[in-house]
Amino acid sequence: MCGIAGYIGPRNAVEVVYDQLKRLEYRGYDSAGVAYLNGGGTIHVVKRAGKLGELGKVLWDGDGTPESGGGPGGEGIDVPHLAIAHSRWATHGGPTDENAHPHFDRYGDVALIHNGIIENYLDLKGELAAAGHSFESETDTEVAAHVIGQEYAKGVPLEEAVRQAVRRMRGAFAFVAFSKRERDKFVAARNASPLIVGLGQGENMVASDIPALIPYTREVVAVEDDRIAVLERDGVRLMDLEGKPVPLESFHVDWDVEAAEKGGYEHFMLKEIHEQPDVIRGALAGRIDDKGRVRLDQVFGDHVWQDIDRVNIIACGTAYHAGLMGKFLFERLLQLPTDVFFSSEFRYGDPILSPKSLAVFVSQSGETLDSLAALRLCKQRRIRTLGVVNVVGSSIARECDRTVFTQAGPEISVASTKAYTAQCLVLMLLALHIAQVKETPGVRIDEAVADLRAFAEKAEVCLRLEDEVKALAERFKGAPLVFFLGRNADAHVAREGALKLKEIAYIPTQESPAGEMKHGPLALVEQGTLAIFGATDADVREKTVSNVREVQARGGFVVAVTTEGDDSLDGVAEAVLKVPASRSAYLNALLSVLPMQLFAYYVAKAKGCEIDQPRNLAKSVTVE
Ligand code: G6P
């Protein structure tokens, strides 16, 4: 996600924060900016869309590196000793110079950078606009800067203004701000987005992630939620949202740079699997209002939903599997006929498109060529299009009539994990939104929202299955073939589980609805063949148990993924993995993908495969 850097001390602060952003580049971003104080006490700001080099060119008037001279601290130019910098991965508003951070308050006194999402920014923006504020960007960050400025205008110190402002904001965010009126400090705040303080000798700094700090210090403080940090040259103070001091608890980091980028995990894939509880929170952020209603601002107006008679979901790979989940929900919940197409087939399949249909494009990268071409075909045919996309500013996001972002943060591992979970959640939000608009009988929005709100925690519990899964992976690392089976939504998730194993562990898989086994695939079951059953759906559990027996009767070894509280497979399957249950069959099935992702990961690891970059595959496929 976005990168944060801040520094105060004797070095050239702009060089330090620029270098810190460089060290966060691996996380992906689409614009960058820096603000610094010069000796005269003026704030300078430089922001550019594009890569850091673009910012560097403006800063140093050379080839984009500090060594090329000119710029802050260059010959005859003041060395700045306080700077903040940000690399932005667009969420609210496209990747433009204007939307890049830092942003300022109304009076130009306070500069602010921000990671995360401020859920109530539209309400705050409305209040500010009514009080005469105007805005230069489309970002929630600028709104936050104005809120801080409003508090600061009351004559309090900056930390107090930040503290009061944070109390007015909802969401998951981390801020760093400084003021030209208080030149010897900067202030940072955290609420659910990562923020790390680095402690130095006569210098202190802050960043969104440890790799940025490692060249400067290895003594770091992981700032907790609802804390404000005040950084001066000779010290750092922490306080809570009541303004009470909180002790600083630092720890020593001895990771090398590569390990630090992966957050201490051995591979990005494992890191991304573990990020899923936060990704769930991120996908829901700002999309459920105080009254427990789904709020999707980015979609069509209500009259359009009344008009739509059919949905076509078009996608590739993992995103296609998320599309299958979407079909399950749209038909179950809304009785809205839905088809799912592989983008590559859709293009040349001469699709029959009702003028009242909606085409939904699901894509992590937003750049997959087949999906983009299918989108252009729909546009030519004047079909309404909606994107469910992770990368803001990507081609699919730009070209769809409307786009809902999955807000999963950059995904680096080629095999998709967290993006899938976020895609499935956004499709659920979409289904609930339509149900709200159409007042679909029998849909309990309150219950669905309560289930969604509890989902991140359930994912956390689910990840505790890791050791059990690892032991199974060790046992089956030599498997020549693995079955992935299930019914209803479990069958769709099973396909995704199979894809993970194929992609990264190079093990052939047979994925099929469990009831279809007897029509062919069962012939492949031999003594010891592993079959992983998704068995979370209570409505068809008895049928699933029968299918388990069929596999076992041919010598198969069954691992069943079911829900806590269900004992129908205890003592039946050779191994049972239980995920926390909720009322929603959709969410139960979705949760079962986590142990399947972990299984693929640990099999690949046991086999010594190149996990993050599997052979023959690419993260973003921009060829036909
Ligand atoms: C590639 C990636 C997959 C991804 C698919 C679709 O095959 O390796 O992880 O699911 O493309 O990509 P998209 O960016 O459109 O979701």
Side-chain angles (χ1 to χ4, degrees):
M1 200 94 75
C2 312
I4 277 181
Y7 174 86
I8 184 164
R11 308 185 204 220
N12 182 332
V14 174
E15 283 185 21
V16 173
V17 292
Y18 186 79
D19 175 60
Q20 289 177 331
L21 286 191
K22 269 204 123 15
R23 293 170 190 280
L24 297 175
E25 269 194 306
Y26 72 97
R27 297 161 63 91
Y29 65 100
D30 41 43
S31 58
V34 58
Y36 58 96
L37 263 181
N38 76 357
T42 331
I43 301 182
H44 288 269
V45 63
V46 184
K47 323 197 282 188
R48 279 295 174 276
K51 292 293 160 196
L52 266 181
E54 299 301 316
L55 179 70
K57 278 184 209 153
V58 189
L59 279 172
W60 287 291
D61 195 21
D63 61 6
T65 61
E67 297 74 40
S68 57
E75 214 182 305
I77 309 171
D78 281 345
V79 177
H81 296 297
L82 192 171
I84 61 176
H86 188 261
S87 48
R88 174 171 185 257
W89 197 72
T91 55
H92 291 77
T96 60
D97 290 357
E98 293 73 35
N99 288 335
H101 304 195
H103 289 283
F104 286 88
D105 70 321
R106 183 185 199 176
Y107 312 100
D109 284 348
V110 178
L112 177 80
I113 55 177
H114 152 232
N115 276 4
I117 291 166
I118 295 157
E119 293 182 7
N120 58 338
Y121 88 104
L122 284 175
D123 297 339
L124 291 167
K125 196 170 185 177
E127 279 171 32
L128 291 161
H133 290 241
S134 59
F135 299 90
E136 286 169 13
S137 75
E138 302 156 86
T139 61
D140 50 349
T141 310
E142 193 181 4
V143 174
H146 280 236
V147 174
I148 294 172
Q150 226 180 16
E151 297 294 336
Y152 200 42
K154 294 177 184 164
V156 295
L158 182 63
E159 62 248 45
E160 183 59 16
V162 170
R163 189 171 76 81
Q164 294 301 347
V166 167
R167 293 166 67 105
R168 291 170 59 187
M169 293 180 220
R170 269 194 293 109
F173 48 78
F175 291 131
V176 183
F178 73 90
S179 157
K180 67 178 178 199
R181 292 201 262 132
E182 295 172 71
R183 296 187 219 159
D184 51 1
K185 66 174 167 201
F186 65 93
V187 177
R190 168 181 166 139
N191 173 18
S193 284
L195 189 71
I196 314 286
V197 166
L199 305 174
Q201 301 291 326
E203 60 180 357
N204 287 300
M205 60 211 85
V206 70
S208 50
D209 209 351
I210 291 173
L213 301 175
I214 282 179
Y216 303 95
T217 177
R218 285 179 174 270
E219 280 309 304
V220 303
V221 180
V223 179
E224 286 178 22
D225 283 349
D226 299 328
R227 297 282 185 264
I228 313 283
V230 183
L231 291 94
E232 296 168 342
R233 275 185 180 222
D234 293 315
V236 176
R237 287 179 281 127
L238 270 188
M239 62 177 136
D240 64 17
L241 289 190
E242 306 307 318
K244 288 200 209 89
V246 174
L248 269 188
E249 285 174 27
S250 68
F251 63 95
H252 185 82
V253 185
D254 48 17
W255 300 336
D256 61 23
V257 171
E258 205 197 327
E261 286 181 350
K262 293 175 185 151
Y265 291 101
E266 200 176 334
H267 296 96
F268 282 112
M269 182 179 179
L270 190 60
K271 176 172 181 255
E272 286 160 5
I273 290 173
H274 279 271
E275 274 171 8
Q276 286 176 110
D278 281 342
V279 164
I280 292 165
R281 292 183 188 103
L284 302 178
R287 288 156 173 187
I288 295 174
D289 67 16
D290 294 339
K291 297 184 197 94
R293 308 274 293 169
V294 171
R295 183 170 158 176
L296 279 185
D297 299 320
Q298 305 95 326
V299 296
F300 301 101
D302 292 359
H303 61 287
V304 175
W305 294 113
Q306 300 289 1
D307 190 49
I308 286 169
D309 66 355
R310 171 169 280 281
V311 175
N312 293 313
I313 304 180
I314 302 154
C316 307
T318 289
Y320 172 86
H321 292 159
L324 293 173
M325 291 291 275
K327 172 183 166 72
F328 172 84
L329 210 56
F330 285 23
E331 294 189 336
R332 279 278 171 114
L333 216 57
L334 309 169
Q335 282 80 52
L336 187 57
T338 304
D339 284 314
V340 192
F341 294 88
F342 289 113
S343 311
S344 54
E345 288 293 298
F346 181 84
R347 286 178 71 181
Y348 301 109
D350 198 11
I352 301 163
L353 298 173
S354 139
K356 291 185 167 203
S357 65
L358 168 71
V360 177
F361 292 86
V362 185
S363 176
Q364 189 286 127
S365 63
E367 300 294 349
T368 305
L369 187 76
D370 283 323
S371 299
L372 189 58
L375 164 61
R376 289 179 179 158
L377 177 76
C378 288
K379 297 213 78 165
Q380 258 171 23
R381 306 264 293 261
R382 299 186 181 284
I383 302 295
R384 293 183 187 104
T385 56
L386 174 80
V388 173
V389 177
N390 199 32
V391 179
V392 177
S394 59
S395 307
I396 295 176
R398 279 186 281 113
E399 293 188 29
C400 278
D401 298 335
R402 297 282 189 283
T403 297
V404 187
F405 291 102
T406 42
Q407 303 181 168
E411 192 177 59
I412 294 169
S413 155
V414 167
S416 182
T417 52
K418 62 177 186 171
Y420 170 77
T421 305
Q423 286 159 352
C424 291
L425 284 181
V426 166
L427 289 167
M428 177 160 174
L429 288 170
L430 190 62
L432 294 174
H433 177 86
I434 302 170
Q436 266 173 204
V437 172
K438 295 174 96 168
E439 295 178 1
T440 310
V443 179
R444 292 288 307 264
I445 301 289
D446 54 343
E447 287 187 358
V449 161
D451 287 339
L452 281 171
R453 282 186 165 143
F455 195 56
E457 221 165 287
K458 293 201 157 73
E460 266 158 20
V461 175
C462 194
L463 289 169
R464 295 188 203 137
L465 291 168
E466 189 160 0
D467 286 341
E468 257 175 278
V469 174
K470 197 171 168 180
L472 284 167
E474 198 52 49
R475 175 165 177 176
F476 286 99
K477 64 184 179 212
L481 170 70
V482 178
F483 280 83
F484 283 84
L485 306 164
R487 287 170 171 263
N488 287 338
D490 283 326
H492 303 320
V493 173
R495 292 177 78 133
E496 175 58 12
L499 180 64
K500 289 307 90 156
L501 191 68
K502 253 195 287 257
E503 281 179 306
I504 62 164
Y506 315 140
I507 293 187
T509 60
Q510 172 72 47
E511 46 280 16
S512 138
E516 192 58 22
M517 281 289 280
K518 53 190 173 293
H519 300 294
L522 205 53
L524 297 173
V525 176
E526 294 175 348
Q527 195 61 38
T529 302
L530 173 63
I532 298 180
F533 272 82
T536 66
D537 190 335
D539 287 348
V540 286
R541 205 164 270 140
E542 280 179 22
K543 305 280 171 207
T544 309
V545 173
S546 306
N547 299 139
V548 165
R549 298 271 192 214
E550 286 160 12
V551 169
Q552 289 174 322
R554 276 95 191 156
F557 182 105
V558 171
V559 175
V561 187
T562 180
T563 49
E564 279 170 7
D566 165 47
D567 57 7
S568 53
L569 282 149
D570 294 1
V572 176
E574 278 70 22
V576 181
L577 300 169
K578 294 195 180 180
V579 303
S582 55
R583 271 167 299 214
S584 157
Y586 183 84
L587 291 179
N588 289 341
L590 178 55
L591 210 48
S592 72
V593 83
L594 269 61
M596 295 188 203
Q597 294 167 343
L598 285 168
F599 181 74
Y601 173 81
Y602 281 110
V603 172
K605 187 164 175 241
K607 291 181 72 174
C609 302
E610 278 281 331
I611 294 182
D612 286 331
Q613 294 190 327
R615 69 185 183 206
N616 308 342
L617 301 178
K619 183 77 191 149
S620 179
V621 182
T622 51
V623 292
E624 254 193 86

